[in-house]
Amino acid sequence: QAKVAGKGCYRFYSKAMDQAVERRVQLEEELRGAWERGELSLHYQPIYRLADGRPMGAEALCRWEHPRLGVVPPSVFIEVAEQSGLIEALGRHVLVQACQDAATWQQPGLEPPFVSVNISPRQLRTGDLPDVVASALQSTGVMPQQLHLELTETAVLGDEAQASALLSRLRATGVKVWLDDFGTGFSGLSHLRRVPVDGVKIDRSFVADVLRDPDDLALTSAIIAMAHSLGITVVAEGIESEGQYAVLRERGCDQGQGFWLGRPMPANEMRRAFREASGE
Ligand code: C2E
Ligand code: MG
Ligand code: MG
Ligand code: MG
């Protein structure tokens, strides 16, 4: 009986796996050339200074408008792009587009809003990232300080010495480096001393529970204290309520983003929002 069920299960899972692989291969095929066909675009989510609520910049988030499937979330297609190598070309397009959009946010006499771009582990490993970044800045006239690169903890884990060298090279050009989804990896706070970064983004899983779970509040406070002692900026992700905003501000968190503050929006809306915030 068990044997029969086991066999059935095996066949069931194997078929499901085949379908998953097939779907993946198909997505990969469809992702190829998607940028050129205009199916991919960038949305922007504003990032605010918590002390006074001023918008400081925005994170670029990629969207894929699939002709048949509708909007495919980045959590699905970035991984496909990463594993197939398509991320290298996609990442270059994203950097140039993000800089092009950020160039339109500048206003005379005001500090320009920054644009923060997600960089996947593979883009970091290929090694030509500093050149790709330099050429995006040059072709768009965006100042290096206006560009932030978001790397995940796991991307810089593994070969720390090599990652550190690359990050130092990038930071020497004036570009700022932030660690994304901070706190979810196993590297922990001690990592901050060895990897040279300008900022950390506290993962939204901590922010989500910051009012309910004393452990998450304690950890968040510890991250803020440790980062500040090293001169590192702290940004909170996923602020969904006024209460979360208030407690993070009270604990000294520098900046934040989240649905309560502002959802990701198309580039033209983001530009309008920056203009309105500066009082025209
Ligand atoms: P991430 O870099 O951690 O980006 C933040 C994600 O949290 C975004 O999801 C954003 O829409 C979402 N978010 C923001 N505020 C809230 C909130 O208050 N509540 C909740 N529940 N979620 C919030 P999104 O746009 O689906 O992106 C998912 C991930 O995909 C990103 O996580 C990033 O790792 C990756 N990604 C997106 N665009 C790119 C890209 O151009 N290149 C690379 N390499 N990765 C990208
Ligand atoms: Mg990010
Ligand atoms: Mg994140
Ligand atoms: Mg918790």
Side-chain angles (χ1 to χ4, degrees), residues 46 126 152 185 230 232 275:
T126 55
T152 57
L230 296 167
I232 295 171
R275 213 176 39 223

Side-chain angles (χ1 to χ4, degrees), residues 45 59 62-63 74 118 120 180-181 204 237-238 240 258-259 264:
Q45 184 177 34
E59 176 174 14
C62 204
R63 297 285 175 267
N118 291 286
S120 84
D180 204 355
D181 305 337
R204 71 165 185 267
E237 299 188 308
E240 293 186 351
F259 293 166

Side-chain angles (χ1 to χ4, degrees), residues 4-252:
V4 173
K7 216 172 163 190
C9 277
Y10 172 75
R11 233 187 273 127
F12 173 77
Y13 282 119
S14 133
K15 195 166 171 224
M17 266 153 38
D18 280 352
Q19 282 171 347
V21 169
E22 220 170 88
R23 195 166 163 253
R24 207 184 178 81
V25 169
Q26 193 180 353
L27 271 186
E28 184 185 322
E29 276 318 306
E30 293 170 335
L31 191 54
R32 209 175 289 279
W35 186 277
E36 288 76 8
R37 291 192 300 274
E39 294 167 13
L40 289 161
S41 66
L42 294 181
H43 277 45
Y44 293 93
Q45 184 177 34
I47 299 176
Y48 295 85
R49 185 160 62 199
L50 298 191
D52 59 4
R54 186 182 150 202
M56 305 299 288
E59 176 174 14
L61 295 162
C62 204
R63 297 285 175 267
W64 184 12
E65 186 79 47
H66 189 285
R68 200 163 28 82
L69 302 173
V71 178
V72 181
S75 53
V76 173
F77 72 82
I78 291 294
E79 202 188 313
V80 172
E82 169 87 14
Q83 294 193 350
S84 60
L86 288 169
I87 194 72
E88 288 173 37
L90 176 59
R92 277 192 293 270
H93 289 305
V94 166
L95 265 169
V96 172
Q97 183 69 54
C99 288
Q100 261 168 18
D101 290 332
T104 71
W105 301 343
Q106 300 171 354
Q107 282 162 88
L110 290 175
E111 192 191 325
F114 63 77
V115 67
S116 199
V117 176
N118 291 286
I119 302 292
S120 84
R122 187 156 176 163
Q123 286 173 275
L124 202 59
R125 279 200 310 274
T126 55
D128 68 341
L129 189 62
D131 301 328
V132 172
V133 166
S135 95
L137 291 172
Q138 209 186 10
S139 67
T140 57
V142 164
M143 293 181 302
Q145 312 83 266
Q146 220 186 321
L147 177 62
H148 297 184
L149 304 178
E150 297 191 9
L151 316 171
T152 57
E153 255 180 298
T154 42
V156 299
L157 277 178
D159 198 341
E160 267 181 41
Q162 205 198 327
S164 296
L166 186 61
L167 297 196
S168 300
R169 238 179 103 196
L170 284 165
R171 291 178 75 211
T173 68
V175 164
K176 296 215 187 313
V177 173
W178 282 359
L179 274 190
D180 204 355
D181 305 337
F182 190 75
T184 54
F186 291 99
S187 53
L189 293 168
S190 62
H191 205 61
L192 285 184
R193 280 183 306 157
R194 289 191 305 260
V195 181
V197 296
D198 302 281
V200 292
K201 298 186 79 173
I202 301 177
D203 190 68
R204 71 165 185 267
S205 57
F206 297 105
V207 174
D209 277 350
V210 94
L211 295 175
R212 274 194 307 257
D213 186 339
D215 290 344
D216 284 339
L217 181 58
L219 200 76
T220 299
S221 302
I223 292 174
I224 294 168
M226 171 90 174
H228 282 173
S229 74
L230 296 167
I232 295 171
T233 300
V234 185
V235 184
E237 299 188 308
I239 298 176
E240 293 186 351
S241 73
E242 187 170 14
Q244 290 166 349
Y245 179 96
V247 75
L248 288 162
R249 183 178 59 188
E250 184 244 323
R251 296 290 165 136

